[in-house]
Amino acid sequence: MKIRNPRTGEYDYEISPADADEVAEVARSLRAAQPQWGARPPEERADILRRWADAVEAHRQPLFEALRTDTGRALIAAIEVDGLPATIRRWADIAPGLIAAHSNADVQLANPTVTNSTRLVPYTLFGAISPWNFPIVLSTIDAIPALAAGCAALIKPSEVTPRFIAPLRETIAKVPELESVLALIEGDAETGQALVANVDYVCFTGSVATGRKVAEAAARAFIPANLELGGKDPMLILASADPEHAAKTALRASVVATGQACQSIERIYVARDIYQAFLDVLVREAEAVSLNYPDIDSGEIGPFIFAPQADKVAQHIDAAREAGACILTGGTVETLGGGKYLRPTVIADATADMAVVREETFGPVLPVIPFDTVDEAVAAANDSDYGLSAAVVAGTAEEAEAVGIRLEAGAISINDGSMTSMVWDAENESFKLSGMGPSRMGDSGLLRFFRKQALIRQNAEPATIAGFSEENLR
């Protein structure tokens, strides 16, 4: 399979997708090694994971170079690579304590002769299918706590951004105990289907359409499916907000990573009293943002990683324009050096029926809509099939929170935006079509990979059948 370079447009890399038989063989090997891994004390698994973190740091440069090529951006690639060892060490530090806290021994039950012990039993084989927008983060965000819990882990990264797989495998090979229970496979949709058929718990990050297929396949396999899907995240700017501060916050929360993030702000509702002042600042700041072309080490906006996404974004913009919306800045996908780019695009006069307001755009596009009352803004924000996250900006945190709790979304940023990209220990679950299953953040990020087993101990003589004789009613 030929792989496209997002900056040059050339197909300069290739992978060999694993077929169903190959996936099954890798799964068998991982399953065979898991009992020994799961039997290790949590502290021992944590120490092994810390050695992996050390290996990642030692291989930082090849990982960074591969990810930079995969995504066409440098700073965020560095943040991803440097964040990996930090995430590994975080789970290594907290997992043993969490496991101990949720493993109960000899708890007295209502029956005075009975006690119970609770064991946390890890799923044997965890599987992850990850997307192309944050390749390293989203390939490992679930696998690391699964490993800390005692699962073996099988990961299929996106075929759009596979260059990092080889150097990441090299880091895993430096830790033999881990190599036997952690594998990455190259592949496409068929490879992903085979993964679901061979694991005991699957995590998927990606589109709603593909997420439905994963959920259906998981249901047929009778395994849990943890899904984080699309978003159409709204931001509400209340009349008490400082329009300059709000505009700068909205811009960053919308266009970082070229808007190719599930938690990107994609709809902005602004109190009419400050609407024009907000727009003026937003347009000014948007026009100051530059592309990282031709120098990848300059500018703020990189290319579209997945070329067809640029076409979808252009369709949303063109349809809005044709329906009467006003493109205040940006609005045209540019082909530069073979890559596809879009400058921050601010859209006024958008309406609720436009695709740019209703459907996930996944690009640096900011439709701005005025409102007259807070009730009107809340209703507009909640009028969506999605409920991943949202944001409220106001003069005080208290005022913003009072509105935020009315929004139908799993995580609400207060006086900021897209904070779930920066805060990983706040538990939240997706609403509506944005996902299904326990939070990948906070303690649930680890505890979801266990089944609870009760050891119910009878400390007196067990009951006999004589005690259930009908004659006992006489």
Side-chain angles (χ1 to χ4, degrees):
M1 175 180 286
K2 301 291 185 180
I3 308 302
R4 178 182 175 274
N5 184 313
R7 293 186 68 82
T8 67
E10 297 177 359
Y11 289 82
D12 57 5
Y13 192 80
E14 63 181 38
I15 61 172
S16 299
D19 63 22
D21 290 340
E22 290 171 312
V23 174
E25 181 57 36
V26 173
R28 279 192 292 270
S29 176
L30 294 170
R31 285 185 182 281
Q34 187 277 333
Q36 183 177 1
W37 175 254
R40 295 180 186 273
E43 294 79 6
E44 188 175 320
R45 290 197 298 268
D47 287 340
I48 294 168
L49 288 172
R50 291 187 185 98
R51 285 165 45 208
W52 182 31
D54 294 341
V56 169
E57 287 180 335
H59 287 70
R60 180 190 185 279
Q61 195 59 30
L63 270 171
F64 169 67
E65 291 173 359
L67 194 62
R68 180 174 58 178
T69 304
D70 268 333
T71 61
R73 60 201 185 199
L75 177 62
I76 295 175
I79 291 172
E80 280 200 67
V81 172
D82 293 338
L84 178 55
T87 301
I88 296 169
R89 292 187 181 114
R90 173 180 174 271
W91 280 116
D93 289 343
I94 66 177
L98 277 175
I99 294 169
H102 289 267
S103 301
N104 298 320
D106 296 332
V107 177
Q108 185 68 55
L109 302 183
N111 187 322
T113 71
V114 177
T115 54
N116 174 62
S117 297
T118 299
R119 293 182 64 240
L120 299 184
V121 182
Y123 287 91
T124 302
L125 182 55
F126 158 82
I129 302 173
S130 59
W132 46 259
N133 53 332
F134 294 95
I136 286 181
V137 166
L138 295 177
S139 289
T140 59
I141 190 171
D142 302 304
I144 295 167
L147 288 162
C151 309
L154 179 60
I155 304 170
K156 190 206 84 69
S158 170
E159 65 272 29
V160 177
T161 51
R163 293 169 178 83
F164 79 95
I165 295 174
L168 190 60
R169 281 174 173 162
E170 292 179 13
T171 70
I172 298 167
K174 297 294 183 182
V175 188
E177 304 96 322
L178 188 64
E179 189 178 23
S180 64
V181 291
L182 172 58
L184 290 91
I185 50 174
E186 298 175 340
D188 52 12
E190 292 185 5
T191 308
Q193 292 168 11
L195 180 145
V196 177
N198 281 278
V199 300
D200 305 305
Y201 190 121
V202 63
C203 285
F204 170 81
T205 308
S207 70
V208 172
T210 305
R212 284 185 185 276
K213 295 177 182 178
V214 171
E216 291 165 0
R220 286 192 294 272
F222 217 68
I223 64 171
N226 223 154
L227 311 176
E228 183 171 301
L229 308 178
K232 191 68 182 176
D233 292 5
M235 174 178 276
L236 278 60
I237 313 293
L238 307 189
S240 59
D242 171 26
E244 178 142 351
H245 160 77
K248 290 178 178 179
T249 301
L251 180 67
R252 185 267 304 160
S254 298
V255 308
V256 161
T258 318
Q260 301 169 123
C262 295
Q263 77 282 353
S264 292
I265 295 299
E266 293 211 358
R267 299 177 284 150
I268 305 172
Y269 299 94
V270 185
R272 199 175 296 277
D273 289 350
I274 62 170
Y275 176 72
Q276 192 58 53
F278 174 90
L279 266 184
D280 291 344
V281 177
L282 186 62
V283 170
R284 182 194 74 206
E285 294 295 319
E287 289 178 342
V289 174
S290 58
L291 306 178
N292 73 351
Y293 180 86
D295 181 6
I296 194 173
D297 295 314
S298 66
E300 296 82 29
I301 297 278
F304 284 98
I305 297 171
F306 185 48
Q309 189 63 38
D311 300 331
K312 177 184 176 181
V313 173
Q315 290 170 6
H316 280 197
I317 296 170
D318 292 344
R321 183 188 288 112
E322 292 169 5
C326 182
I327 313 302
L328 300 181
T329 187
T332 302
V333 173
E334 305 173 51
T335 300
L336 302 170
K340 293 181 179 292
Y341 296 79
L342 176 66
R343 299 176 193 274
T345 298
V346 179
I347 302 178
D349 302 323
T351 56
D353 58 336
M354 295 178 181
V356 77
V357 176
R358 299 211 64 81
E359 301 176 16
E360 186 174 40
T361 303
F362 224 60
V365 180
L366 302 86
V368 186
I369 303 168
F371 67 82
D372 294 304
T373 69
V374 170
D375 288 348
E376 175 192 337
V378 170
N382 288 340
D383 182 20
S384 175
D385 291 333
Y386 299 97
L388 188 61
S389 55
V392 184
V393 179
T396 67
E398 291 75 18
E399 183 185 6
E401 286 185 12
V403 175
I405 61 174
R406 300 172 61 187
L407 300 180
E408 297 168 354
I412 313 298
S413 296
I414 301 300
N415 284 342
D416 204 333
S418 303
M419 292 184 72
T420 52
S421 64
M422 300 173 277
V423 178
W424 287 19
D425 47 5
E427 289 200 15
N428 66 93
E429 296 177 11
S430 300
F431 288 30
K432 304 180 184 179
L433 296 184
S434 284
M436 181 173 69
S439 173
R440 67 180 4 163
M441 309 296 185
D443 294 355
S444 288
L446 173 84
L447 298 174
R448 60 190 162 144
F449 297 121
F450 291 106
R451 289 158 293 185
K452 289 186 176 180
Q453 183 182 69
L455 300 176
I456 306 170
R457 181 185 301 172
Q458 175 60 265
N459 298 305
E461 286 296 319
T464 66
I465 190 62
F468 293 88
S469 172
E470 304 290 2
E471 297 176 356
N472 289 334
L473 287 176
R474 294 177 185 174

